[in-house]
Structures are given as structure tokens and as C-alpha cells.
Amino acid sequence: MTMRKALYVLIAAALPAAAQQPAGPLLPQLDAAGVTKTCDAALAKGREMVAKMESGSGGAGFLAEWNALQVALEDLGPISNLGALHPDKAVRDAAEPCLQKRTAFGTDLFQSEKLYARVKAIEPAHPRERKLKKDLLEGFEDSGVTLPADKRARAKEISTRLTQIGQAFSRALREDPTTVRFAPAELAGVPESFLKSRKAQADGSYVLKPDDPTNDAVMTNAKSEDTRRRMFVARVQRGGEGNLKLLDEAYRLRKELATLHGLPTYAHYVQRRRMVGSPDVVNKFLAEVKSTVTDLEKAELRLLAEAKARDTGKPAEAVVPRWDESYYKNVVRRERFAVDQEQTRKYFPTPRAVEFALLVSETLYGIRFREAKVPAWHPDVRYFDIFDATSGKFIANIYLDLYPRDGKRGGAWAAGARRASVLAGRTPTSVLVTNFNREGLSHAEMQTLLHEFGHVLHGVLSTAHYLSQAGTAVKRDFVEAPSQMFQEWVHREESLALFRKVCPECPALGKDEIARLAEARRFGRGIHYSFQHLAASFDMALSTQPDDPLKVWKRLETEQPQGTTDFTMRPASFPHPTGGYAAGYYGYMWSEVIGLDLLSAFEKNMLDPKVGARYRETILAQGGQEEEMEMVRKFLGRELNNKAFLEEIAGKR
Ligand SMILES: [Zn+2]
């Protein structure tokens, strides 16, 4: 604790700019009662607005009324963030009923026949209005407005229940009590700096939660296989039976929802609205990934087994168990490329890493960040205003919540707390959440930081006219493309050279080290994409035919070289299917196809502000105002292709 405090003071002292007054509109700081009050007030106002809209007629003026309604609803506050992040459990708990009411409101709204009739009557005056009209019509139809009354009521029940399931699943993970106890000797190899940040028991042992940084520190570094195995078991059992049941219920309800709409599967229901258009395209894509990645995966697993044999002096196993994967990947990276993830932290002290992400963004996109001190939900949270470098105009603001703490949701993500709307004179606000080590980021975590920053930029550089089309309001299988692309800036010499500017005292990364880091990163791609394939196939299987999730997971895992284990409950801690990615997990790889193709425009010069400006204008600023495929075509000046992606996963890039 003392250590944490000392660091915090150090960081604050290094940033005199923190005394600045904020320029942007701040997020409201709410206590538990405030959450409920603000939420109810915004929804009451929303209901009033809807009643007025329903009493109107024709399409004229509808989109402006719709926009004002979206603004009012967003002003009910950053509720889902508070639910995931607030240190006070009462606030986190108060967020849940609010989100349930918000979902119910949304379902009612999209089931209104009167509003649907008005949308149908819109005569679009602009391409973005034509797109919005189409998206709205689909939204109304998908919510059941054209269904008979009994089916419509059932669709609403399902939607409400799915929200509750998502919340319960996430809560169970966030508040999972699982811990593992290790004697100091059992933690041999785990970095001193990590252990110092955890409290030792009176007998010197450590009681560890299997959260992200802990899992990472132990699985990558603990020399004892038994220690790794115990941490792995704890990790893959998070969420437990309860979450498995929730997941099962969710996929069954989704199948029922698709049936109400006369569609054969939930995959059809979702994917007809996505870039892919249909499950056939997804299944074909996944088969292509599998056949491309299998050889590389097997070759990598062979290297891991050989590394383990050298390490233990025992004969090589046919394949190492999953709890050995991170550890021996790290061994191979050390032996072959002289790269140790833990050692890479010295290059990227956490606050400097953040400044690096800001500087890359400034350089590419012609913007400026300025830190200010503002009230937030926790003292660790940092705040920045963003200005356009050319005009000097304030354009957006961001909050960064970087470090793990009790009750905070694990993982890393970016959330648009307020979305842009030129029509409403509204600037965007994004929240970046990570669970990073305070001392420094590994090269892998640097990649995570840039990835999430890619989402942040998509939100804050938006100049959408209508809020419903702002920032990341794009198709789900496109939304990861800008962030997948932005990751690449931690892998290139040109961009990494900027690290010297934010941290002259950090050890320099030379040409040779960067090349080795790149090689080391590439090692493990086969195993990684094989897992992505597994997760996407799991989601597709259940989105096609609901079944016991654990049974399906184990069946798919068994088909993999590493096989499955008796104790795994892995789907119980897999947050995507209940977090909005059902029938959509394939979208990560699909987005990567796009992200890597978009990257080709930057290949000549990763820091070219001209290409950056064009990208900002054609992709980031547009949000969902245009069809995604069309935006990509405009930016690249040609059709999208998956060449770069297939080369990447075959190990040829
Ligand atoms: Zn992402």
C-alpha cells in the first residue's frame, strides 16, 4: 500500500500540467442514490419525449427528435462504467437496475408502431440519413415491431432477461471469491516487483486472486509446474456452475428470439445485419482460418514441448498441457529471441507508456492532449482534454482508469460515455479501462494499451451529425478494425522511436531489440489464432444449436492438439457471449482482416500525418454514417482483401 501511494505521488509530481482546469464537460460523479435518481429522471424525460414523438406524424423532423431523445438517454450517466468500476459496491449494485430499466425502455421504444411508421415515412435528404433510416428500420424490425402482439411481448421478455443474464454473469466474475494460496518457494520465478505489490500472510505465504495481472505474472514466470497448474485451475473455474447455467439460458433464449422472427438460428438473426451477411460466410472464413493456422500451431507446440524437455530433463511430451503454454512460450522467446516479457517492462514505465499512446495519436491525427485534475470515481483516474492541433478547438475528453483494485471488472476496454453529435453540439467523452501493472508494461500490455486506445480514438475523433452514428456505432464485425490496426504502432521502429521523447531516461530500444521483439511476438501466433478459432467456433455452435455450453466447449477443445481437462469450466469466465458478442466472436478475426488491410496504407511511413489525416477523415470521423465496406474502399482506393491477415496467421509476415 505504501508503495502504491509513493508511486502515485511520483506520477503526479512528474506532471505539472495536472493543475490545469478542464475544458470539457465532465462526467457526473454519482453515489448510489444519485445513480437511481439521475436514471429515473432521464427515463421519465425520455418517456415524455417519446409520447410527443408518437403524437407527431410523418417523417419530417423525426431524425432531429430522435437525436434529442438519444442525447437525453445518454445523459442518464455513465452507468455501465460505474457498475464495472466504482469502488463503492452500493454504486455498482445501483447501476444494475438502472441498466435493466434502460434496456426495457429501449425495447419499448423499438416496439412502437407509431414511431416505426414515422421512420418509414422519412425522406432522406443526405446519404447519412438514408443509412440512419435503414439502420433504424432494422432496429425496429429486430425488436419485433412487425410481430403479432403475443410474439412481440415475448421478444421484450427475452431482451429484458438477456440483460439480467449479462449483468449476473459479469457480477459473478467481478466478485468471484476464488483465491489460491502459495508458499514463497512455490512462487520461485515470479517477479519480485509483483510480489511486493501483494500482501504476504504472517507465515510468508501469498493468497492470490486469479485476476489478469496475477495470472499473467504467475503463468508466465512461476518455475513450478504445480504452481502454474493450480493457478490455471483457479482461473478456468471462475464464474462456476452458476455462470455456465446463465450462458446456457442465454443461448436458448436467443434461439427462441430468432424463431419468433421466423429465422432458423440466432446466427442468422445477428449476422444478416453484419458485414458478413450470413453464417455461411462466417463458417467459410473460420474453416479458412483453421486450415491456414494448423501447421504453424503444431510447429509452435513442438517447440514448447522441446523447451520443456530441456528444462525438466525428462523426455518431450507429445504436447504440453495448457498451464505450461505461457511459461514455455516465454522460455522459447528468451532462448530464441532473447526476449523476456517481464524484462520488457523496464522499457515501458506505465505513465510513460500512456504518454507514448498520446504522442502517437497526436502525431498521426493532428490533435493535442492536455491533462487536468478533475473529480472522478477513484483517485487513480486520470483525465485529459483533447484539442484539434490546427484549429485549437476543444474536441473531446477522456478518462483513464489503469490499475486493478477490488471490485473493479478485469480486462481492458474502452467505453464511449458520451457520443458525438454535431447536430446537438455534443463533444464525445471516452473512458479507457485497463488492469495494468503500476511499474511498467510488458510489450504484450503495450499492445493492449494501443488496442484500447484505437477504440478511444474511434470515439473521440467522431464528427457524426447524429449521435446514433457516432464513433464506435459501427457494425460489430468492423468495430475492432481500428483498434487491431492501432496495435501495430508498438511493433515498428519508426513509432517506437517516439518513446525516447516521452522517456529519455528509459533504456533505449535499438533496431536489433525491436526486431527481436517483433520476432518474439510472432512466436505463438499459431496457438493464439487456434484459440480465437476455438472461441469463435464455440460461439457459432451455440448460436446455431443451443446445448450444454461446457459439453460443447470440451468437444471443441478435444479437437485441438492440446485437448481438454476434466476440471475446466472455461466458458463460465468467457464474458463475450453475454457481453454483446453472441454470434459475434468471429468479429475479432474478421476485424483483423480489415485492420491489417487498412494498415497497408501506412506501410511506407507509420507516422505520416497525411495518411493519418485521411484515415481520421474517412474512417474515424465517420463512425456509422456510411456503409463500412464503402468507407474501407474509399480509404484504400481498392476492394478489401484478406491477404495480409492470412499471411499473418500462417507466420509469413
Ligand atoms: Zn477491442
Side-chain angles (χ1 to χ4, degrees), residues 209-221:
K209 282 174 93 105
D211 59 23
D212 304 348
T214 308
N215 182 65
D216 187 49
V218 172
M219 297 310 285
T220 315
N221 303 292

PDB file of all heavy atoms in Angstrom, residues 209-221:
ATOM      1  N   LYS A 209      -5.588 -13.853  -5.969  1.00  0.00           N
ATOM      2  CA  LYS A 209      -6.778 -13.988  -6.819  1.00  0.00           C
ATOM      3  C   LYS A 209      -6.298 -14.248  -8.251  1.00  0.00           C
ATOM      4  O   LYS A 209      -5.306 -13.650  -8.661  1.00  0.00           O
ATOM      5  CB  LYS A 209      -7.561 -12.662  -6.822  1.00  0.00           C
ATOM      6  CG  LYS A 209      -8.400 -12.420  -5.591  1.00  0.00           C
ATOM      7  CD  LYS A 209      -9.001 -11.021  -5.653  1.00  0.00           C
ATOM      8  CE  LYS A 209     -10.363 -11.084  -6.274  1.00  0.00           C
ATOM      9  NZ  LYS A 209     -11.481 -10.945  -5.370  1.00  0.00           N
ATOM     10  N   PRO A 210      -7.028 -15.027  -9.023  1.00  0.00           N
ATOM     11  CA  PRO A 210      -6.568 -15.262 -10.401  1.00  0.00           C
ATOM     12  C   PRO A 210      -6.980 -14.134 -11.351  1.00  0.00           C
ATOM     13  O   PRO A 210      -7.532 -14.382 -12.413  1.00  0.00           O
ATOM     14  CB  PRO A 210      -7.238 -16.595 -10.763  1.00  0.00           C
ATOM     15  CG  PRO A 210      -8.466 -16.646  -9.917  1.00  0.00           C
ATOM     16  CD  PRO A 210      -8.206 -15.841  -8.685  1.00  0.00           C
ATOM     17  N   ASP A 211      -6.731 -12.870 -10.952  1.00  0.00           N
ATOM     18  CA  ASP A 211      -7.074 -11.741 -11.833  1.00  0.00           C
ATOM     19  C   ASP A 211      -6.023 -11.596 -12.943  1.00  0.00           C
ATOM     20  O   ASP A 211      -5.021 -12.315 -12.939  1.00  0.00           O
ATOM     21  CB  ASP A 211      -7.248 -10.436 -11.027  1.00  0.00           C
ATOM     22  CG  ASP A 211      -5.998 -10.057 -10.264  1.00  0.00           C
ATOM     23  OD1 ASP A 211      -4.901 -10.492 -10.664  1.00  0.00           O
ATOM     24  OD2 ASP A 211      -6.104  -9.324  -9.268  1.00  0.00           O
ATOM     25  N   ASP A 212      -6.220 -10.675 -13.857  1.00  0.00           N
ATOM     26  CA  ASP A 212      -5.346 -10.615 -15.040  1.00  0.00           C
ATOM     27  C   ASP A 212      -3.856 -10.462 -14.710  1.00  0.00           C
ATOM     28  O   ASP A 212      -3.043 -11.265 -15.162  1.00  0.00           O
ATOM     29  CB  ASP A 212      -5.759  -9.492 -15.999  1.00  0.00           C
ATOM     30  CG  ASP A 212      -7.197  -9.605 -16.438  1.00  0.00           C
ATOM     31  OD1 ASP A 212      -7.811 -10.658 -16.187  1.00  0.00           O
ATOM     32  OD2 ASP A 212      -7.723  -8.647 -17.031  1.00  0.00           O
ATOM     33  N   PRO A 213      -3.479  -9.409 -13.930  1.00  0.00           N
ATOM     34  CA  PRO A 213      -2.033  -9.244 -13.709  1.00  0.00           C
ATOM     35  C   PRO A 213      -1.433 -10.411 -12.933  1.00  0.00           C
ATOM     36  O   PRO A 213      -0.297 -10.818 -13.192  1.00  0.00           O
ATOM     37  CB  PRO A 213      -1.920  -7.953 -12.893  1.00  0.00           C
ATOM     38  CG  PRO A 213      -3.252  -7.331 -12.870  1.00  0.00           C
ATOM     39  CD  PRO A 213      -4.266  -8.344 -13.292  1.00  0.00           C
ATOM     40  N   THR A 214      -2.205 -10.970 -11.988  1.00  0.00           N
ATOM     41  CA  THR A 214      -1.691 -12.082 -11.187  1.00  0.00           C
ATOM     42  C   THR A 214      -1.521 -13.320 -12.059  1.00  0.00           C
ATOM     43  O   THR A 214      -0.487 -13.998 -12.038  1.00  0.00           O
ATOM     44  CB  THR A 214      -2.667 -12.404 -10.039  1.00  0.00           C
ATOM     45  OG1 THR A 214      -2.942 -11.204  -9.324  1.00  0.00           O
ATOM     46  CG2 THR A 214      -2.090 -13.435  -9.111  1.00  0.00           C
ATOM     47  N   ASN A 215      -2.551 -13.603 -12.835  1.00  0.00           N
ATOM     48  CA  ASN A 215      -2.494 -14.753 -13.725  1.00  0.00           C
ATOM     49  C   ASN A 215      -1.295 -14.628 -14.664  1.00  0.00           C
ATOM     50  O   ASN A 215      -0.538 -15.574 -14.862  1.00  0.00           O
ATOM     51  CB  ASN A 215      -3.799 -14.824 -14.516  1.00  0.00           C
ATOM     52  CG  ASN A 215      -3.846 -16.028 -15.427  1.00  0.00           C
ATOM     53  OD1 ASN A 215      -3.847 -17.161 -14.972  1.00  0.00           O
ATOM     54  ND2 ASN A 215      -3.843 -15.773 -16.727  1.00  0.00           N
ATOM     55  N   ASP A 216      -1.128 -13.436 -15.191  1.00  0.00           N
ATOM     56  CA  ASP A 216      -0.039 -13.186 -16.122  1.00  0.00           C
ATOM     57  C   ASP A 216       1.322 -13.399 -15.443  1.00  0.00           C
ATOM     58  O   ASP A 216       2.191 -14.102 -15.956  1.00  0.00           O
ATOM     59  CB  ASP A 216      -0.184 -11.743 -16.638  1.00  0.00           C
ATOM     60  CG  ASP A 216       0.805 -11.457 -17.740  1.00  0.00           C
ATOM     61  OD1 ASP A 216       0.884 -12.280 -18.654  1.00  0.00           O
ATOM     62  OD2 ASP A 216       1.503 -10.425 -17.666  1.00  0.00           O
ATOM     63  N   ALA A 217       1.472 -12.802 -14.250  1.00  0.00           N
ATOM     64  CA  ALA A 217       2.754 -12.899 -13.543  1.00  0.00           C
ATOM     65  C   ALA A 217       3.082 -14.352 -13.205  1.00  0.00           C
ATOM     66  O   ALA A 217       4.220 -14.796 -13.354  1.00  0.00           O
ATOM     67  CB  ALA A 217       2.709 -12.049 -12.267  1.00  0.00           C
ATOM     68  N   VAL A 218       2.086 -15.099 -12.751  1.00  0.00           N
ATOM     69  CA  VAL A 218       2.337 -16.473 -12.321  1.00  0.00           C
ATOM     70  C   VAL A 218       2.495 -17.410 -13.518  1.00  0.00           C
ATOM     71  O   VAL A 218       3.448 -18.180 -13.593  1.00  0.00           O
ATOM     72  CB  VAL A 218       1.200 -16.966 -11.387  1.00  0.00           C
ATOM     73  CG1 VAL A 218       1.352 -18.456 -11.082  1.00  0.00           C
ATOM     74  CG2 VAL A 218       1.196 -16.153 -10.099  1.00  0.00           C
ATOM     75  N   MET A 219       1.578 -17.327 -14.471  1.00  0.00           N
ATOM     76  CA  MET A 219       1.598 -18.285 -15.573  1.00  0.00           C
ATOM     77  C   MET A 219       2.832 -18.119 -16.467  1.00  0.00           C
ATOM     78  O   MET A 219       3.311 -19.065 -17.069  1.00  0.00           O
ATOM     79  CB  MET A 219       0.338 -18.172 -16.435  1.00  0.00           C
ATOM     80  CG  MET A 219      -0.948 -18.491 -15.703  1.00  0.00           C
ATOM     81  SD  MET A 219      -0.907 -20.046 -14.798  1.00  0.00           S
ATOM     82  CE  MET A 219      -1.061 -21.200 -16.151  1.00  0.00           C
ATOM     83  N   THR A 220       3.334 -16.882 -16.566  1.00  0.00           N
ATOM     84  CA  THR A 220       4.484 -16.655 -17.433  1.00  0.00           C
ATOM     85  C   THR A 220       5.806 -16.953 -16.726  1.00  0.00           C
ATOM     86  O   THR A 220       6.799 -17.238 -17.375  1.00  0.00           O
ATOM     87  CB  THR A 220       4.492 -15.187 -17.924  1.00  0.00           C
ATOM     88  OG1 THR A 220       3.182 -14.851 -18.327  1.00  0.00           O
ATOM     89  CG2 THR A 220       5.433 -14.984 -19.092  1.00  0.00           C
ATOM     90  N   ASN A 221       5.811 -16.853 -15.389  1.00  0.00           N
ATOM     91  CA  ASN A 221       7.097 -16.855 -14.701  1.00  0.00           C
ATOM     92  C   ASN A 221       7.321 -17.934 -13.651  1.00  0.00           C
ATOM     93  O   ASN A 221       8.468 -18.218 -13.315  1.00  0.00           O
ATOM     94  CB  ASN A 221       7.315 -15.491 -14.031  1.00  0.00           C
ATOM     95  CG  ASN A 221       7.231 -14.348 -15.031  1.00  0.00           C
ATOM     96  OD1 ASN A 221       8.091 -14.221 -15.890  1.00  0.00           O
ATOM     97  ND2 ASN A 221       6.188 -13.542 -14.944  1.00  0.00           N
TER      98      ASN A 221
END
